[in-house]
Amino acid sequence: MGKIVVALGGNALGNNPKEQLEAVINTAKPIVDLIQEGHTVVIAHGNGPQVGMINLAFDTASNIPNMPFPECGAMSQGYIGYHLQNAISEELRRRKVNKNVATVITQVVVDKNDKAFQNPTKPIGSFYSKEEAEEQAKKTGDVFKEDAGRGYRRVVASPLPVDVVEKDTVKTLMDAGTVVITVGGGGIPVYVDGDKLIGIPAVIDKDFASAKIAEILDADYLIILTAVEKVAINFGKSNEEWLSKMTIDESKKYIDEGHFAPGSMLPKVKAAMMFAESKSGRKALITSLEKAADGIAGKTGTIVIK
């Protein structure tokens, strides 16, 4: 049995509070499967739709001060964690597994000079038509980009994680047997200024943050969950091929050949590579939520190894 960090994709959470409350009931089941098998499980998750929704609500509300983006990230961590920990706790009780579940509001250190701040790429919030996006951009000064043929979304910087501020707290809870929900939405981005931690408007990719906390916790496995069972090359083409295993060198080759979409599979593959490269014997698994336990058992999914 091993230590596992599970990175939940957006499809595990839904797009609004009502959808999320329903989605997490199903999300909890495969997570508790892993716990019941004896694994130590730490959970990370995205927050793109949620943080965008919170930010937009404050932007459009009258007579309410504008809410800084790091605080919007903290709010999203809190309410997503609240839903997840209740759903997982309920499933554990239903199966008579005696485990506590806790959400840690987590800050993640970034480099304030990261080049990502010069080129915002991380989509958040709702989809807009081109006209609506142009109107919003004029009104707010935000940057909007087209997102995978689905419409236009606001984009913010996505710097790389350097460190996790609450890592010792997460480790203490994990070692005590608690199921920990951490680095929600990639963590609240902060930079170090002397003795201070200063919040900075950005969204850290949750897959990279998951790889960082998995590395810090000396996890055996990083499971990056997505909408598909395996990673594919030549996706959607006649010569489409689903992969059961990728080495670091093979992954680099496929990235260079342009097989993975930047807003979709590319960050997942890169995060898997980061974790697999961080120490000998570490494995990353990319698969769907429903297949997580089968993937750990070697029956499906795409394993990324050194």
Coordinates of all heavy atoms in Angstrom, one line a residue, residues 126-193:
S126 N -16.7 31.7 -16.8 CA -17.7 31.3 -17.8 C -17.1 31.5 -19.2 O -16.1 32.2 -19.5 CB -18.9 32.2 -17.7 OG -19.4 32.2 -16.4
F127 N -17.8 30.8 -20.2 CA -17.6 31.0 -21.6 C -18.4 32.2 -22.1 O -19.5 32.4 -21.8 CB -18.0 29.7 -22.4 CG -17.0 28.6 -22.2 CD1 -17.3 27.7 -21.2 CD2 -15.9 28.4 -22.9 CE1 -16.4 26.6 -20.9 CE2 -15.0 27.4 -22.7 CZ -15.3 26.5 -21.7
Y128 N -17.8 33.0 -23.0 CA -18.4 34.1 -23.7 C -18.3 34.0 -25.2 O -17.4 33.4 -25.7 CB -17.7 35.4 -23.2 CG -17.9 35.7 -21.8 CD1 -16.9 35.3 -20.9 CD2 -18.9 36.5 -21.3 CE1 -17.0 35.6 -19.5 CE2 -19.1 36.8 -19.9 CZ -18.1 36.4 -19.1 OH -18.2 36.7 -17.7
S129 N -19.2 34.6 -25.9 CA -19.0 34.8 -27.3 C -17.9 35.8 -27.5 O -17.5 36.6 -26.6 CB -20.3 35.3 -28.0 OG -20.6 36.6 -27.6
K130 N -17.4 36.0 -28.8 CA -16.4 36.9 -29.0 C -16.8 38.4 -28.7 O -16.0 39.1 -28.1 CB -16.0 36.9 -30.5 CG -14.7 37.6 -30.8 CD -14.3 37.5 -32.3 CE -12.9 38.2 -32.5 NZ -12.6 38.4 -33.9
E131 N -18.0 38.7 -29.0 CA -18.5 40.0 -28.8 C -18.6 40.3 -27.3 O -18.3 41.4 -26.8 CB -19.9 40.2 -29.4 CG -19.9 40.2 -30.9 CD -19.7 38.8 -31.5 OE1 -20.0 37.8 -30.8 OE2 -19.3 38.7 -32.7
E132 N -19.2 39.3 -26.5 CA -19.3 39.4 -25.1 C -17.9 39.6 -24.4 O -17.8 40.4 -23.5 CB -20.0 38.2 -24.5 CG -21.5 38.2 -24.8 CD -22.1 36.8 -24.4 OE1 -21.4 35.8 -24.4 OE2 -23.3 36.8 -24.2
A133 N -17.0 38.8 -24.9 CA -15.6 38.9 -24.3 C -15.0 40.2 -24.6 O -14.3 40.8 -23.7 CB -14.7 37.8 -25.0
E134 N -15.2 40.8 -25.8 CA -14.6 42.1 -26.1 C -15.2 43.2 -25.2 O -14.6 44.1 -24.7 CB -14.9 42.4 -27.6 CG -13.9 41.6 -28.5 CD -14.3 41.8 -30.0 OE1 -15.4 42.4 -30.3 OE2 -13.5 41.3 -30.8
E135 N -16.5 43.0 -24.9 CA -17.2 44.0 -24.1 C -16.7 43.9 -22.6 O -16.5 44.9 -22.0 CB -18.8 43.7 -24.1 CG -19.6 44.8 -23.5 CD -21.1 44.5 -23.6 OE1 -21.5 43.8 -24.6 OE2 -21.8 44.8 -22.6
Q136 N -16.6 42.7 -22.1 CA -16.0 42.5 -20.8 C -14.6 43.0 -20.7 O -14.3 43.6 -19.6 CB -16.0 41.0 -20.4 CG -17.4 40.4 -20.0 CD -17.8 40.9 -18.6 OE1 -18.8 41.6 -18.5 NE2 -17.0 40.6 -17.6
A137 N -13.8 42.8 -21.7 CA -12.4 43.2 -21.7 C -12.4 44.8 -21.6 O -11.5 45.3 -20.8 CB -11.7 42.7 -22.9
K138 N -13.2 45.4 -22.3 CA -13.3 46.9 -22.3 C -13.7 47.4 -20.9 O -13.2 48.4 -20.4 CB -14.3 47.4 -23.3 CG -13.8 47.5 -24.7 CD -14.9 48.1 -25.6 CE -14.5 47.8 -27.1 NZ -15.6 48.1 -28.0
K139 N -14.6 46.7 -20.3 CA -15.2 47.1 -19.0 C -14.2 46.8 -17.9 O -14.1 47.7 -17.0 CB -16.5 46.3 -18.8 CG -17.6 47.0 -18.0 CD -18.7 46.1 -17.6 CE -19.5 45.7 -18.9 NZ -20.7 44.8 -18.5
T140 N -13.5 45.7 -17.9 CA -12.7 45.3 -16.7 C -11.2 45.3 -16.9 O -10.4 45.3 -16.0 CB -13.1 43.8 -16.4 OG1 -12.7 43.0 -17.5 CG2 -14.5 43.7 -16.0
G141 N -10.8 45.4 -18.2 CA -9.4 45.3 -18.5 C -8.8 43.9 -18.5 O -7.6 43.7 -18.6
D142 N -9.7 42.9 -18.2 CA -9.2 41.5 -18.2 C -8.8 41.1 -19.6 O -9.3 41.6 -20.6 CB -10.3 40.6 -17.6 CG -10.6 40.9 -16.2 OD1 -9.7 41.4 -15.5 OD2 -11.8 40.7 -15.8
V143 N -8.0 40.0 -19.7 CA -7.6 39.4 -20.9 C -8.5 38.2 -21.2 O -8.7 37.3 -20.3 CB -6.1 39.0 -20.9 CG1 -5.7 38.4 -22.2 CG2 -5.2 40.2 -20.6
F144 N -9.0 38.1 -22.5 CA -9.8 36.9 -22.9 C -9.2 36.2 -24.1 O -8.6 36.9 -25.0 CB -11.2 37.4 -23.3 CG -12.1 37.8 -22.1 CD1 -11.9 39.1 -21.5 CD2 -13.0 37.0 -21.5 CE1 -12.7 39.5 -20.4 CE2 -13.7 37.4 -20.4 CZ -13.6 38.6 -19.9
K145 N -9.3 34.9 -24.1 CA -8.7 34.1 -25.2 C -9.7 33.0 -25.5 O -10.5 32.5 -24.7 CB -7.4 33.5 -24.8 CG -6.3 34.5 -24.8 CD -4.9 33.9 -24.5 CE -3.8 34.9 -24.4 NZ -2.5 34.3 -24.1
E146 N -9.7 32.6 -26.8 CA -10.5 31.5 -27.3 C -10.1 30.2 -26.6 O -8.9 29.9 -26.5 CB -10.4 31.4 -28.8 CG -11.6 30.7 -29.4 CD -11.4 29.2 -29.6 OE1 -10.2 28.8 -29.6 OE2 -12.3 28.5 -29.6
D147 N -11.0 29.4 -26.1 CA -10.7 28.1 -25.4 C -11.2 26.9 -26.1 O -12.4 26.5 -26.0 CB -11.3 28.2 -24.0 CG -10.9 27.0 -23.1 OD1 -10.1 26.2 -23.6 OD2 -11.4 26.9 -22.0
A148 N -10.3 26.3 -26.9 CA -10.6 25.0 -27.5 C -11.9 24.9 -28.3 O -12.6 23.9 -28.2 CB -10.5 23.9 -26.4
G149 N -12.2 26.0 -29.0 CA -13.4 26.0 -29.8 C -14.7 26.1 -29.1 O -15.8 26.0 -29.7
R150 N -14.6 26.3 -27.7 CA -15.9 26.3 -26.9 C -16.4 27.7 -26.6 O -17.4 27.9 -26.0 CB -15.6 25.6 -25.6 CG -15.3 24.1 -25.8 CD -15.0 23.4 -24.6 NE -13.7 23.8 -24.0 CZ -13.2 23.4 -22.9 NH1 -13.9 22.5 -22.1 NH2 -12.0 23.8 -22.4
G151 N -15.6 28.7 -27.0 CA -15.9 30.1 -26.7 C -14.7 30.8 -26.1 O -13.6 30.3 -26.1
Y152 N -15.0 32.1 -25.6 CA -13.9 32.9 -25.0 C -14.0 32.9 -23.5 O -15.1 33.0 -23.0 CB -14.0 34.3 -25.6 CG -13.5 34.4 -27.0 CD1 -14.3 34.0 -28.1 CD2 -12.2 35.0 -27.3 CE1 -13.8 34.1 -29.4 CE2 -11.8 35.1 -28.6 CZ -12.6 34.6 -29.6 OH -12.1 34.7 -30.9
R153 N -12.8 32.8 -22.8 CA -12.8 32.8 -21.4 C -11.7 33.8 -20.9 O -10.7 34.0 -21.6 CB -12.5 31.5 -20.8 CG -13.6 30.4 -21.0 CD -13.2 29.1 -20.6 NE -13.4 28.9 -19.1 CZ -12.9 27.8 -18.5 NH1 -12.3 26.8 -19.1 NH2 -13.1 27.7 -17.2
R154 N -11.9 34.3 -19.7 CA -10.9 35.2 -19.1 C -9.7 34.3 -18.9 O -9.8 33.1 -18.5 CB -11.4 35.8 -17.8 CG -10.3 36.7 -17.2 CD -10.8 37.2 -15.8 NE -9.6 37.8 -15.2 CZ -9.6 38.2 -13.9 NH1 -10.6 38.0 -13.1 NH2 -8.5 38.8 -13.4
V155 N -8.5 34.9 -19.1 CA -7.3 34.1 -18.8 C -6.4 34.9 -17.8 O -6.4 36.2 -17.8 CB -6.4 33.8 -20.1 CG1 -7.1 32.7 -20.9 CG2 -6.1 35.1 -20.9
V156 N -5.8 34.2 -16.9 CA -4.9 34.8 -15.9 C -3.5 34.1 -16.0 O -3.4 33.0 -16.6 CB -5.4 34.8 -14.5 CG1 -6.7 35.6 -14.4 CG2 -5.7 33.3 -14.0
A157 N -2.5 34.7 -15.4 CA -1.2 34.0 -15.4 C -1.2 32.7 -14.7 O -2.0 32.5 -13.7 CB -0.2 35.0 -14.7
S158 N -0.4 31.8 -15.1 CA -0.3 30.4 -14.5 C 1.2 30.1 -14.2 O 1.8 29.3 -14.9 CB -0.9 29.4 -15.4 OG -1.0 28.1 -14.8
P159 N 1.7 30.7 -13.1 CA 3.1 30.5 -12.8 C 3.3 29.1 -12.2 O 2.4 28.4 -11.7 CB 3.4 31.5 -11.7 CG 2.1 31.8 -11.1 CD 1.1 31.6 -12.1
L160 N 4.6 28.6 -12.2 CA 4.9 27.3 -11.7 C 5.0 27.4 -10.2 O 5.5 28.4 -9.6 CB 6.2 26.8 -12.2 CG 6.2 26.3 -13.7 CD1 7.7 26.1 -14.2 CD2 5.4 25.1 -13.9
P161 N 4.6 26.3 -9.5 CA 4.7 26.3 -8.0 C 6.1 26.0 -7.6 O 6.9 25.2 -8.2 CB 3.8 25.1 -7.6 CG 3.8 24.2 -8.8 CD 3.9 25.1 -10.0
V162 N 6.6 26.7 -6.6 CA 8.0 26.6 -6.1 C 8.0 25.8 -4.8 O 8.8 25.0 -4.5 CB 8.6 28.0 -5.9 CG1 10.0 27.9 -5.2 CG2 8.7 28.8 -7.2
D163 N 7.0 26.1 -3.9 CA 6.9 25.5 -2.6 C 5.5 25.5 -2.1 O 4.7 26.3 -2.6 CB 7.9 26.1 -1.6 CG 8.2 25.3 -0.4 OD1 7.8 24.1 -0.4 OD2 8.9 25.8 0.5
V164 N 5.2 24.7 -1.1 CA 3.8 24.7 -0.5 C 4.0 25.2 1.0 O 4.7 24.6 1.8 CB 3.2 23.3 -0.5 CG1 1.8 23.3 0.2 CG2 3.0 22.9 -2.0
V165 N 3.4 26.3 1.3 CA 3.6 26.9 2.6 C 3.1 26.0 3.8 O 3.8 25.8 4.8 CB 2.8 28.3 2.7 CG1 3.0 28.9 4.1 CG2 3.3 29.2 1.6
E166 N 2.0 25.4 3.6 CA 1.4 24.5 4.7 C 1.8 23.1 4.6 O 1.1 22.2 5.1 CB -0.1 24.7 4.7 CG -0.6 26.0 5.2 CD -0.6 27.1 4.1 OE1 -0.3 26.8 2.9 OE2 -0.7 28.3 4.5
K167 N 3.0 22.8 4.0 CA 3.4 21.4 3.8 C 3.5 20.6 5.1 O 3.2 19.4 5.1 CB 4.7 21.4 3.0 CG 5.9 22.1 3.6 CD 7.0 22.2 2.7 CE 8.1 23.0 3.4 NZ 9.2 23.4 2.4
D168 N 4.1 21.2 6.1 CA 4.3 20.5 7.4 C 2.9 20.1 8.0 O 2.8 19.1 8.6 CB 5.1 21.3 8.3 CG 6.6 21.4 7.9 OD1 7.0 20.6 7.0 OD2 7.3 22.4 8.3
T169 N 2.0 21.1 7.9 CA 0.6 20.8 8.4 C 0.0 19.6 7.7 O -0.6 18.7 8.3 CB -0.3 22.1 8.3 OG1 0.4 23.1 9.0 CG2 -1.7 21.8 8.8
V170 N 0.1 19.7 6.4 CA -0.5 18.6 5.5 C 0.2 17.2 5.9 O -0.5 16.2 6.1 CB -0.3 18.9 4.0 CG1 -0.7 17.7 3.2 CG2 -1.1 20.1 3.6
K171 N 1.5 17.3 6.1 CA 2.2 16.0 6.4 C 1.8 15.5 7.8 O 1.6 14.3 8.0 CB 3.7 16.3 6.4 CG 4.6 15.0 6.4 CD 6.0 15.2 6.2 CE 6.8 13.9 6.1 NZ 6.5 13.0 7.2
T172 N 1.7 16.4 8.8 CA 1.3 16.0 10.1 C -0.1 15.3 10.1 O -0.3 14.3 10.7 CB 1.3 17.2 11.0 OG1 2.6 17.8 11.1 CG2 0.8 16.8 12.4
L173 N -1.0 15.9 9.4 CA -2.4 15.4 9.3 C -2.3 14.0 8.5 O -3.0 13.1 9.0 CB -3.3 16.4 8.5 CG -3.7 17.6 9.3 CD1 -4.4 18.6 8.3 CD2 -4.7 17.2 10.4
M174 N -1.6 14.0 7.4 CA -1.5 12.7 6.7 C -0.9 11.6 7.5 O -1.4 10.5 7.5 CB -0.6 13.0 5.4 CG -0.5 11.8 4.5 SD 0.7 12.1 3.2 CE 2.3 11.9 4.1
D175 N 0.2 11.9 8.3 CA 0.8 10.9 9.1 C -0.1 10.4 10.2 O 0.0 9.3 10.7 CB 2.1 11.4 9.7 CG 3.2 11.6 8.6 OD1 3.1 11.1 7.5 OD2 4.2 12.3 8.9
A176 N -1.1 11.3 10.6 CA -2.0 10.9 11.7 C -3.2 10.1 11.1 O -4.1 9.8 11.8 CB -2.5 12.2 12.4
G177 N -3.2 9.9 9.8 CA -4.3 9.1 9.2 C -5.4 9.9 8.6 O -6.4 9.3 8.1
T178 N -5.3 11.2 8.6 CA -6.4 12.0 8.1 C -6.3 12.1 6.6 O -5.2 12.1 6.0 CB -6.3 13.5 8.7 OG1 -6.4 13.4 10.1 CG2 -7.3 14.4 8.1
V179 N -7.5 12.1 5.9 CA -7.6 12.3 4.5 C -7.5 13.8 4.3 O -8.4 14.5 4.7 CB -8.9 11.7 3.9 CG1 -8.9 11.9 2.4 CG2 -9.0 10.2 4.2
V180 N -6.5 14.3 3.6 CA -6.3 15.7 3.5 C -6.6 16.2 2.1 O -6.2 15.6 1.1 CB -4.8 16.1 3.8 CG1 -4.7 17.6 3.9 CG2 -4.4 15.5 5.1
I181 N -7.4 17.3 2.1 CA -7.7 18.0 0.8 C -6.8 19.3 0.8 O -6.9 20.1 1.7 CB -9.2 18.4 0.7 CG1 -10.0 17.1 0.7 CG2 -9.5 19.2 -0.6 CD1 -11.5 17.3 1.1
T182 N -5.9 19.4 -0.2 CA -4.9 20.5 -0.1 C -4.7 21.0 -1.5 O -5.2 20.5 -2.5 CB -3.7 20.0 0.6 OG1 -2.7 21.1 0.7 CG2 -3.0 18.9 -0.2
V183 N -3.8 22.1 -1.6 CA -3.5 22.8 -2.8 C -4.7 22.9 -3.8 O -4.6 22.8 -5.0 CB -2.3 22.2 -3.6 CG1 -1.0 22.3 -2.8 CG2 -2.5 20.8 -4.1
G184 N -5.9 23.2 -3.2 CA -7.1 23.4 -4.0 C -7.0 24.5 -5.0 O -6.5 25.6 -4.7
G185 N -7.3 24.1 -6.3 CA -7.2 25.1 -7.4 C -5.8 25.4 -7.7 O -5.5 26.5 -8.3
G186 N -4.8 24.6 -7.2 CA -3.4 24.9 -7.4 C -2.8 25.6 -6.3 O -1.6 25.9 -6.3
G187 N -3.6 26.0 -5.3 CA -3.2 26.7 -4.1 C -3.4 28.2 -4.4 O -3.5 28.7 -5.5
I188 N -3.4 29.0 -3.3 CA -3.4 30.5 -3.3 C -2.0 30.9 -3.7 O -1.1 30.7 -2.9 CB -3.9 31.1 -2.0 CG1 -5.2 30.5 -1.6 CG2 -3.9 32.6 -2.1 CD1 -5.5 30.6 -0.1
P189 N -1.8 31.6 -4.9 CA -0.5 32.0 -5.3 C 0.0 33.1 -4.4 O -0.6 34.2 -4.3 CB -0.7 32.5 -6.7 CG -2.0 32.1 -7.1 CD -2.8 32.0 -5.9
V190 N 1.2 32.9 -3.8 CA 1.8 34.0 -3.0 C 3.3 34.0 -3.3 O 3.9 33.1 -3.9 CB 1.7 33.7 -1.5 CG1 0.3 33.7 -1.0 CG2 2.3 32.3 -1.1
Y191 N 3.9 35.2 -3.1 CA 5.4 35.3 -3.2 C 6.0 35.8 -1.9 O 5.3 36.4 -1.1 CB 5.8 36.2 -4.4 CG 5.5 37.6 -4.2 CD1 6.3 38.6 -3.6 CD2 4.2 38.1 -4.7 CE1 6.0 39.9 -3.5 CE2 3.9 39.5 -4.6 CZ 4.8 40.3 -4.0 OH 4.4 41.7 -3.9
V192 N 7.2 35.5 -1.7 CA 7.9 35.8 -0.4 C 8.5 37.2 -0.5 O 9.2 37.5 -1.4 CB 9.0 34.7 0.0 CG1 9.7 35.1 1.3 CG2 8.4 33.3 0.0
D193 N 8.2 38.0 0.5 CA 8.8 39.3 0.6 C 9.2 39.5 2.0 O 8.5 39.9 2.9 CB 7.7 40.4 0.2 CG 8.3 41.8 0.2 OD1 9.5 42.0 0.3 OD2 7.5 42.8 0.1

